[in-house]
Amino acid sequence: MNRVAVIGGGMTLFRRRLLETGKELSFLAAKMAMEDSGIEKKDLDMVVMGSAPDAFDGIHMKGENLLDGAAATNKPYVRLFNGGGTGVFAPIAGWWHVASGVADTVLVVCEEKMSSCFPHPQTAFQHIWDPILDRPLHPNLVWLFAMEMNRYMTMHNIKKEDIALVAVKNKRNAVGHPSAQLPDEKITVEDVLNSEIMAWPVQRLDISPPSDGASALILCSEDRAKQYTDDPIFIDGVGWNIDSTMWTNRDLYFPRYVANAAKMAYKMADIHDPKKEIDFAEPYDPFDYKELHHLEGLLLCDKGEAPILTREGVTQRDGKLPVCPSGGLLGVGNPIAATMGQKVCELYWQLSGKAGKRQIPTDPQVGVGQAWGDIMQMGTVIVMRRG
Amino acid sequence: MMTIKSKTEGYPRYAPGTHVSGRDISNKNVTYSWWEPEVQYSWSLGPAYGRFLQELKKGKIIGRSCKKCERVIVPPRMFCEYCYRSTDEWIYLKDTGKVETFSISYLDPNARRIKEPILIGVISIDGASPMHGFMHYFNDMKPEDLKIGMKVKAVWKSEKERTGSITDIKYFKPMNEGDK
Amino acid sequence: MTFYEKQTDPSSPMHWLGDMQADYLYPNGKAGDKLFKHIKENDTFLASKCINCSKIFFPPRLYCEDCFVEILEKDWFEIPSTGKIRLHTIVTINTYGEKLNEPKMIALIDIDNTDGALLGIIKTDNIDENLIGRKVEAVFKSKNQREGTLKDILYFKMR
């Protein structure tokens, strides 16, 4: 198996609605990653596209629509998705291409345009429910997360104040990220607790915003990487796992599928004690409680312990285990698949010391990124390491 | 409408893109196309959901057992996804259960705000395996009285109104001492 | 593995009906917005040219998909709204499969001075004639009725 390096990343602006088409956004992100790494279209062996369900963009077979903006014309190309898990799953697929030896250099592009769907992207989310047993109840997807959050809070007796700390931290971390949609230097726990109730226990500031955007990464083999950089960052572990779709037949308080995916990635990366060996994490945070839920799933703390670490400041950028130094989905925005920008590009920028204002001060060597998708059932995990 | 190319010292060095506000759309500052898909679907129920809905029409909740893992599964399926074998028998369950989780929603399906909250949750059904149940509404209670672990009972539509749908159960209400 | 249970009762429910409720608003994009704003005010088109391979895009694009370079403002220019028919077909039914009052000709038109093409309706007296290679020009709605969409082009007429 070839060792796989990351040598470039790119991200567009994240906003509720962007003028650019999905193709144009893909181009802007891909071009940035290519310029960052010194790679041109002719150097690319293959291209991977990640984009969540077609119903958001409102273009069926989105992959085919986006390919020319992803430098994929006349190249081996695949588009894949597993809902919110896509932002980490697409680079995992890029990793397969290079690790297997079938490609030396691969471009991974992730794109999402959630603004196309009217009256709200939630309208598209209706169509992911079971049409026979769920849809007749006219569900809203926020219900699903509210129910998971409630179960998690109740089982561990967690206070909303402790969960709100995550939203505060991430929106503050996003300050200085040029793509960020909702950075907020001054936000407080009270702001979160006093925000509008959407579906209790979920309040407005507990949720990341729907966004348009794209992100891109250049992956290549270790030998090829040496031609472009003296300081490549490596993908040393990948993992993915899916739980039962019958979510009313399982306990939602712990994401065992994330734990399974994490174990797979840690084993590959030769990590035996993640709590000691991982320097920082970018868990998926579409809701503030999800960061905590996923830290536990990633085995970076015990079950029910994540809120305590957060309260004690361990997960701050200058803490012992910085979490979501990018600003996460809560601060930077949530164009579903394109959150690869926060979950994987950020690992690359942090590990190579390029994160500027967002840089973790403690010279991190190993980072883990994670995404979560489909109906609360998909865990995708990536472990990246310096040198 | 404005193009933002903010520069930072770190990466990403800039973030290309052109923000379009709601006002840009309503004032037609940008050109756009509008599309309303007209599609309809007919989903096959299959034998498991078909029987489940047929029994709901009769005012009964039915599950399906797997003899290997000894689960009683509801909603019923014709195969056990864990043992990866056919399930074995139909088993009638009670129309009572326990609240496993819930939410009090001020959002309608299109994320529009509503004044009267919808009480929604997952009910594990008595007679099925632990944590086995389905999503439904709650009513006949104050939002603040809804608790995880609470015992609830189905409130059915009248026999005449029932059509063979999950909505043949109107909602679940708190279980009283006399309820069976 | 087989299912032991069969559905034998014809009165038992077999299907569940539903639809897809969602509408879509697509901004025309950075390049598209420029083209459609131009069409709203002019009876001509815009094209964009890749400085690397000299390919001229119509509809104009923000980037060249082959060279993967951005096309800058200075490489955009106005072109006449004329072209040649590459392919054509006759349409006799609408989207719902119902018969049209009058059949209409749809053509792929190579736009003059560009490497691009556009789908359009052809107005012709003799719809059965082979028109491949014939010169056509766009007929627009009156300017006060234009909305900045493809529908601002009513049809193409023979030159």
Side-chain angles (χ1 to χ4, degrees), chain A residues 208-235:
Chain A
S208 60
S211 321
D212 287 0
S215 57
L217 270 181
I218 307 277
L219 310 184
C220 64
S221 60
E222 189 167 12
D223 284 348
R224 183 67 64 91
K226 283 175 189 158
Q227 297 172 20
Y228 293 97
T229 173
D230 297 330
D231 191 17
I233 303 303
F234 291 98
I235 299 175

PDB file of all heavy atoms in Angstrom, chain A residues 208-235:
ATOM      1  N   SER A 208     -25.643  24.887  12.676  1.00  0.00           N
ATOM      2  CA  SER A 208     -24.833  25.527  11.648  1.00  0.00           C
ATOM      3  C   SER A 208     -25.758  25.969  10.513  1.00  0.00           C
ATOM      4  O   SER A 208     -26.834  25.414  10.344  1.00  0.00           O
ATOM      5  CB  SER A 208     -23.798  24.536  11.118  1.00  0.00           C
ATOM      6  OG  SER A 208     -24.454  23.411  10.558  1.00  0.00           O
ATOM      7  N   PRO A 209     -25.342  26.978   9.744  1.00  0.00           N
ATOM      8  CA  PRO A 209     -26.225  27.490   8.692  1.00  0.00           C
ATOM      9  C   PRO A 209     -26.155  26.646   7.416  1.00  0.00           C
ATOM     10  O   PRO A 209     -25.120  26.041   7.144  1.00  0.00           O
ATOM     11  CB  PRO A 209     -25.641  28.874   8.422  1.00  0.00           C
ATOM     12  CG  PRO A 209     -24.180  28.704   8.683  1.00  0.00           C
ATOM     13  CD  PRO A 209     -24.069  27.720   9.816  1.00  0.00           C
ATOM     14  N   PRO A 210     -27.233  26.615   6.612  1.00  0.00           N
ATOM     15  CA  PRO A 210     -27.103  26.034   5.268  1.00  0.00           C
ATOM     16  C   PRO A 210     -26.257  26.971   4.404  1.00  0.00           C
ATOM     17  O   PRO A 210     -26.349  28.189   4.559  1.00  0.00           O
ATOM     18  CB  PRO A 210     -28.543  25.960   4.757  1.00  0.00           C
ATOM     19  CG  PRO A 210     -29.335  26.884   5.601  1.00  0.00           C
ATOM     20  CD  PRO A 210     -28.591  27.116   6.881  1.00  0.00           C
ATOM     21  N   SER A 211     -25.436  26.404   3.550  1.00  0.00           N
ATOM     22  CA  SER A 211     -24.487  27.224   2.789  1.00  0.00           C
ATOM     23  C   SER A 211     -24.274  26.700   1.379  1.00  0.00           C
ATOM     24  O   SER A 211     -24.515  25.534   1.091  1.00  0.00           O
ATOM     25  CB  SER A 211     -23.106  27.238   3.469  1.00  0.00           C
ATOM     26  OG  SER A 211     -23.208  27.290   4.862  1.00  0.00           O
ATOM     27  N   ASP A 212     -23.748  27.602   0.524  1.00  0.00           N
ATOM     28  CA  ASP A 212     -23.171  27.230  -0.768  1.00  0.00           C
ATOM     29  C   ASP A 212     -21.657  27.276  -0.610  1.00  0.00           C
ATOM     30  O   ASP A 212     -21.135  28.142   0.101  1.00  0.00           O
ATOM     31  CB  ASP A 212     -23.530  28.254  -1.848  1.00  0.00           C
ATOM     32  CG  ASP A 212     -24.978  28.176  -2.295  1.00  0.00           C
ATOM     33  OD1 ASP A 212     -25.728  27.329  -1.772  1.00  0.00           O
ATOM     34  OD2 ASP A 212     -25.359  28.974  -3.172  1.00  0.00           O
ATOM     35  N   GLY A 213     -20.949  26.382  -1.308  1.00  0.00           N
ATOM     36  CA  GLY A 213     -19.491  26.460  -1.267  1.00  0.00           C
ATOM     37  C   GLY A 213     -18.847  25.240  -1.886  1.00  0.00           C
ATOM     38  O   GLY A 213     -19.530  24.278  -2.251  1.00  0.00           O
ATOM     39  N   ALA A 214     -17.532  25.297  -2.013  1.00  0.00           N
ATOM     40  CA  ALA A 214     -16.766  24.164  -2.532  1.00  0.00           C
ATOM     41  C   ALA A 214     -15.400  24.152  -1.872  1.00  0.00           C
ATOM     42  O   ALA A 214     -14.925  25.172  -1.358  1.00  0.00           O
ATOM     43  CB  ALA A 214     -16.622  24.264  -4.051  1.00  0.00           C
ATOM     44  N   SER A 215     -14.778  22.962  -1.864  1.00  0.00           N
ATOM     45  CA  SER A 215     -13.427  22.834  -1.330  1.00  0.00           C
ATOM     46  C   SER A 215     -12.685  21.796  -2.167  1.00  0.00           C
ATOM     47  O   SER A 215     -13.312  21.015  -2.886  1.00  0.00           O
ATOM     48  CB  SER A 215     -13.467  22.433   0.143  1.00  0.00           C
ATOM     49  OG  SER A 215     -14.188  21.231   0.299  1.00  0.00           O
ATOM     50  N   ALA A 216     -11.359  21.786  -2.071  1.00  0.00           N
ATOM     51  CA  ALA A 216     -10.579  20.865  -2.906  1.00  0.00           C
ATOM     52  C   ALA A 216      -9.275  20.490  -2.215  1.00  0.00           C
ATOM     53  O   ALA A 216      -8.771  21.236  -1.366  1.00  0.00           O
ATOM     54  CB  ALA A 216     -10.279  21.513  -4.259  1.00  0.00           C
ATOM     55  N   LEU A 217      -8.754  19.329  -2.588  1.00  0.00           N
ATOM     56  CA  LEU A 217      -7.502  18.814  -2.033  1.00  0.00           C
ATOM     57  C   LEU A 217      -6.719  18.128  -3.144  1.00  0.00           C
ATOM     58  O   LEU A 217      -7.312  17.497  -4.024  1.00  0.00           O
ATOM     59  CB  LEU A 217      -7.790  17.712  -1.010  1.00  0.00           C
ATOM     60  CG  LEU A 217      -8.006  18.009   0.467  1.00  0.00           C
ATOM     61  CD1 LEU A 217      -8.232  16.696   1.174  1.00  0.00           C
ATOM     62  CD2 LEU A 217      -6.831  18.750   1.078  1.00  0.00           C
ATOM     63  N   ILE A 218      -5.400  18.226  -3.080  1.00  0.00           N
ATOM     64  CA  ILE A 218      -4.557  17.457  -3.997  1.00  0.00           C
ATOM     65  C   ILE A 218      -3.855  16.362  -3.195  1.00  0.00           C
ATOM     66  O   ILE A 218      -3.171  16.654  -2.197  1.00  0.00           O
ATOM     67  CB  ILE A 218      -3.478  18.341  -4.663  1.00  0.00           C
ATOM     68  CG1 ILE A 218      -4.101  19.558  -5.327  1.00  0.00           C
ATOM     69  CG2 ILE A 218      -2.626  17.512  -5.626  1.00  0.00           C
ATOM     70  CD1 ILE A 218      -4.653  19.333  -6.699  1.00  0.00           C
ATOM     71  N   LEU A 219      -4.050  15.103  -3.602  1.00  0.00           N
ATOM     72  CA  LEU A 219      -3.397  13.966  -2.958  1.00  0.00           C
ATOM     73  C   LEU A 219      -2.401  13.357  -3.940  1.00  0.00           C
ATOM     74  O   LEU A 219      -2.659  13.318  -5.140  1.00  0.00           O
ATOM     75  CB  LEU A 219      -4.413  12.872  -2.588  1.00  0.00           C
ATOM     76  CG  LEU A 219      -5.668  13.279  -1.830  1.00  0.00           C
ATOM     77  CD1 LEU A 219      -6.476  12.033  -1.473  1.00  0.00           C
ATOM     78  CD2 LEU A 219      -5.325  14.059  -0.581  1.00  0.00           C
ATOM     79  N   CYS A 220      -1.269  12.866  -3.434  1.00  0.00           N
ATOM     80  CA  CYS A 220      -0.354  12.154  -4.322  1.00  0.00           C
ATOM     81  C   CYS A 220       0.490  11.158  -3.538  1.00  0.00           C
ATOM     82  O   CYS A 220       0.493  11.160  -2.305  1.00  0.00           O
ATOM     83  CB  CYS A 220       0.492  13.119  -5.136  1.00  0.00           C
ATOM     84  SG  CYS A 220       1.580  14.110  -4.170  1.00  0.00           S
ATOM     85  N   SER A 221       1.192  10.326  -4.277  1.00  0.00           N
ATOM     86  CA  SER A 221       2.038   9.313  -3.654  1.00  0.00           C
ATOM     87  C   SER A 221       3.234   9.999  -3.002  1.00  0.00           C
ATOM     88  O   SER A 221       3.590  11.136  -3.346  1.00  0.00           O
ATOM     89  CB  SER A 221       2.503   8.317  -4.710  1.00  0.00           C
ATOM     90  OG  SER A 221       3.237   8.992  -5.704  1.00  0.00           O
ATOM     91  N   GLU A 222       3.884   9.283  -2.075  1.00  0.00           N
ATOM     92  CA  GLU A 222       5.003   9.865  -1.332  1.00  0.00           C
ATOM     93  C   GLU A 222       6.109  10.324  -2.288  1.00  0.00           C
ATOM     94  O   GLU A 222       6.652  11.419  -2.151  1.00  0.00           O
ATOM     95  CB  GLU A 222       5.542   8.825  -0.345  1.00  0.00           C
ATOM     96  CG  GLU A 222       6.553   9.396   0.622  1.00  0.00           C
ATOM     97  CD  GLU A 222       6.848   8.464   1.791  1.00  0.00           C
ATOM     98  OE1 GLU A 222       6.445   7.275   1.732  1.00  0.00           O
ATOM     99  OE2 GLU A 222       7.479   8.917   2.752  1.00  0.00           O
ATOM    100  N   ASP A 223       6.440   9.496  -3.301  1.00  0.00           N
ATOM    101  CA  ASP A 223       7.497   9.844  -4.257  1.00  0.00           C
ATOM    102  C   ASP A 223       7.151  11.118  -5.011  1.00  0.00           C
ATOM    103  O   ASP A 223       7.977  12.009  -5.171  1.00  0.00           O
ATOM    104  CB  ASP A 223       7.694   8.707  -5.273  1.00  0.00           C
ATOM    105  CG  ASP A 223       8.444   7.544  -4.641  1.00  0.00           C
ATOM    106  OD1 ASP A 223       8.980   7.733  -3.529  1.00  0.00           O
ATOM    107  OD2 ASP A 223       8.475   6.450  -5.255  1.00  0.00           O
ATOM    108  N   ARG A 224       5.902  11.180  -5.502  1.00  0.00           N
ATOM    109  CA  ARG A 224       5.477  12.342  -6.271  1.00  0.00           C
ATOM    110  C   ARG A 224       5.486  13.589  -5.388  1.00  0.00           C
ATOM    111  O   ARG A 224       5.867  14.677  -5.832  1.00  0.00           O
ATOM    112  CB  ARG A 224       4.078  12.078  -6.850  1.00  0.00           C
ATOM    113  CG  ARG A 224       3.502  13.158  -7.735  1.00  0.00           C
ATOM    114  CD  ARG A 224       4.248  13.335  -9.057  1.00  0.00           C
ATOM    115  NE  ARG A 224       4.172  12.167  -9.935  1.00  0.00           N
ATOM    116  CZ  ARG A 224       3.227  11.976 -10.857  1.00  0.00           C
ATOM    117  NH1 ARG A 224       2.265  12.853 -11.002  1.00  0.00           N
ATOM    118  NH2 ARG A 224       3.250  10.903 -11.609  1.00  0.00           N
ATOM    119  N   ALA A 225       5.089  13.415  -4.131  1.00  0.00           N
ATOM    120  CA  ALA A 225       5.008  14.563  -3.218  1.00  0.00           C
ATOM    121  C   ALA A 225       6.365  15.252  -3.077  1.00  0.00           C
ATOM    122  O   ALA A 225       6.435  16.479  -2.971  1.00  0.00           O
ATOM    123  CB  ALA A 225       4.498  14.111  -1.856  1.00  0.00           C
ATOM    124  N   LYS A 226       7.432  14.459  -3.098  1.00  0.00           N
ATOM    125  CA  LYS A 226       8.783  15.023  -2.912  1.00  0.00           C
ATOM    126  C   LYS A 226       9.145  16.004  -4.024  1.00  0.00           C
ATOM    127  O   LYS A 226       9.982  16.885  -3.837  1.00  0.00           O
ATOM    128  CB  LYS A 226       9.815  13.896  -2.846  1.00  0.00           C
ATOM    129  CG  LYS A 226       9.816  13.187  -1.496  1.00  0.00           C
ATOM    130  CD  LYS A 226      10.765  11.999  -1.497  1.00  0.00           C
ATOM    131  CE  LYS A 226      10.586  11.170  -0.231  1.00  0.00           C
ATOM    132  NZ  LYS A 226      11.064   9.787  -0.430  1.00  0.00           N
ATOM    133  N   GLN A 227       8.516  15.843  -5.201  1.00  0.00           N
ATOM    134  CA  GLN A 227       8.786  16.766  -6.302  1.00  0.00           C
ATOM    135  C   GLN A 227       8.183  18.145  -6.050  1.00  0.00           C
ATOM    136  O   GLN A 227       8.588  19.125  -6.655  1.00  0.00           O
ATOM    137  CB  GLN A 227       8.204  16.232  -7.609  1.00  0.00           C
ATOM    138  CG  GLN A 227       8.820  14.923  -8.064  1.00  0.00           C
ATOM    139  CD  GLN A 227       8.065  14.336  -9.261  1.00  0.00           C
ATOM    140  OE1 GLN A 227       7.352  15.039  -9.960  1.00  0.00           O
ATOM    141  NE2 GLN A 227       8.245  13.049  -9.489  1.00  0.00           N
ATOM    142  N   TYR A 228       7.166  18.193  -5.205  1.00  0.00           N
ATOM    143  CA  TYR A 228       6.442  19.442  -5.039  1.00  0.00           C
ATOM    144  C   TYR A 228       6.668  20.117  -3.693  1.00  0.00           C
ATOM    145  O   TYR A 228       6.463  21.311  -3.560  1.00  0.00           O
ATOM    146  CB  TYR A 228       4.934  19.197  -5.239  1.00  0.00           C
ATOM    147  CG  TYR A 228       4.589  18.815  -6.646  1.00  0.00           C
ATOM    148  CD1 TYR A 228       4.428  17.480  -7.015  1.00  0.00           C
ATOM    149  CD2 TYR A 228       4.442  19.806  -7.627  1.00  0.00           C
ATOM    150  CE1 TYR A 228       4.128  17.137  -8.321  1.00  0.00           C
ATOM    151  CE2 TYR A 228       4.137  19.466  -8.937  1.00  0.00           C
ATOM    152  CZ  TYR A 228       3.983  18.131  -9.282  1.00  0.00           C
ATOM    153  OH  TYR A 228       3.683  17.798 -10.562  1.00  0.00           O
ATOM    154  N   THR A 229       7.035  19.344  -2.680  1.00  0.00           N
ATOM    155  CA  THR A 229       7.165  19.950  -1.359  1.00  0.00           C
ATOM    156  C   THR A 229       8.207  19.218  -0.513  1.00  0.00           C
ATOM    157  O   THR A 229       8.431  18.019  -0.689  1.00  0.00           O
ATOM    158  CB  THR A 229       5.800  19.956  -0.620  1.00  0.00           C
ATOM    159  OG1 THR A 229       6.011  20.411   0.713  1.00  0.00           O
ATOM    160  CG2 THR A 229       5.164  18.582  -0.570  1.00  0.00           C
ATOM    161  N   ASP A 230       8.815  19.964   0.403  1.00  0.00           N
ATOM    162  CA  ASP A 230       9.756  19.350   1.345  1.00  0.00           C
ATOM    163  C   ASP A 230       9.028  18.885   2.595  1.00  0.00           C
ATOM    164  O   ASP A 230       9.590  18.173   3.416  1.00  0.00           O
ATOM    165  CB  ASP A 230      10.822  20.379   1.768  1.00  0.00           C
ATOM    166  CG  ASP A 230      11.643  20.832   0.572  1.00  0.00           C
ATOM    167  OD1 ASP A 230      11.803  20.013  -0.364  1.00  0.00           O
ATOM    168  OD2 ASP A 230      12.096  21.995   0.559  1.00  0.00           O
ATOM    169  N   ASP A 231       7.800  19.338   2.753  1.00  0.00           N
ATOM    170  CA  ASP A 231       7.095  19.099   4.008  1.00  0.00           C
ATOM    171  C   ASP A 231       5.688  18.554   3.751  1.00  0.00           C
ATOM    172  O   ASP A 231       4.695  19.213   4.048  1.00  0.00           O
ATOM    173  CB  ASP A 231       7.037  20.428   4.786  1.00  0.00           C
ATOM    174  CG  ASP A 231       6.558  20.215   6.208  1.00  0.00           C
ATOM    175  OD1 ASP A 231       6.576  19.070   6.683  1.00  0.00           O
ATOM    176  OD2 ASP A 231       6.154  21.214   6.839  1.00  0.00           O
ATOM    177  N   PRO A 232       5.587  17.337   3.151  1.00  0.00           N
ATOM    178  CA  PRO A 232       4.248  16.815   2.877  1.00  0.00           C
ATOM    179  C   PRO A 232       3.550  16.382   4.164  1.00  0.00           C
ATOM    180  O   PRO A 232       4.205  16.078   5.159  1.00  0.00           O
ATOM    181  CB  PRO A 232       4.518  15.602   1.980  1.00  0.00           C
ATOM    182  CG  PRO A 232       5.890  15.155   2.344  1.00  0.00           C
ATOM    183  CD  PRO A 232       6.640  16.374   2.776  1.00  0.00           C
ATOM    184  N   ILE A 233       2.241  16.380   4.121  1.00  0.00           N
ATOM    185  CA  ILE A 233       1.435  15.879   5.238  1.00  0.00           C
ATOM    186  C   ILE A 233       0.819  14.575   4.755  1.00  0.00           C
ATOM    187  O   ILE A 233       0.346  14.493   3.617  1.00  0.00           O
ATOM    188  CB  ILE A 233       0.338  16.908   5.594  1.00  0.00           C
ATOM    189  CG1 ILE A 233       0.962  18.269   5.928  1.00  0.00           C
ATOM    190  CG2 ILE A 233      -0.545  16.402   6.720  1.00  0.00           C
ATOM    191  CD1 ILE A 233       1.972  18.269   7.052  1.00  0.00           C
ATOM    192  N   PHE A 234       0.829  13.541   5.598  1.00  0.00           N
ATOM    193  CA  PHE A 234       0.381  12.224   5.145  1.00  0.00           C
ATOM    194  C   PHE A 234      -0.971  11.825   5.723  1.00  0.00           C
ATOM    195  O   PHE A 234      -1.286  12.153   6.868  1.00  0.00           O
ATOM    196  CB  PHE A 234       1.415  11.171   5.518  1.00  0.00           C
ATOM    197  CG  PHE A 234       2.691  11.317   4.733  1.00  0.00           C
ATOM    198  CD1 PHE A 234       3.785  11.971   5.280  1.00  0.00           C
ATOM    199  CD2 PHE A 234       2.771  10.840   3.429  1.00  0.00           C
ATOM    200  CE1 PHE A 234       4.951  12.137   4.545  1.00  0.00           C
ATOM    201  CE2 PHE A 234       3.936  11.003   2.686  1.00  0.00           C
ATOM    202  CZ  PHE A 234       5.031  11.654   3.246  1.00  0.00           C
ATOM    203  N   ILE A 235      -1.733  11.099   4.892  1.00  0.00           N
ATOM    204  CA  ILE A 235      -2.959  10.460   5.375  1.00  0.00           C
ATOM    205  C   ILE A 235      -2.541   9.064   5.814  1.00  0.00           C
ATOM    206  O   ILE A 235      -2.234   8.213   4.982  1.00  0.00           O
ATOM    207  CB  ILE A 235      -4.022  10.371   4.264  1.00  0.00           C
ATOM    208  CG1 ILE A 235      -4.410  11.768   3.779  1.00  0.00           C
ATOM    209  CG2 ILE A 235      -5.252   9.608   4.763  1.00  0.00           C
ATOM    210  CD1 ILE A 235      -5.376  11.771   2.599  1.00  0.00           C
TER     211      ILE A 235
END
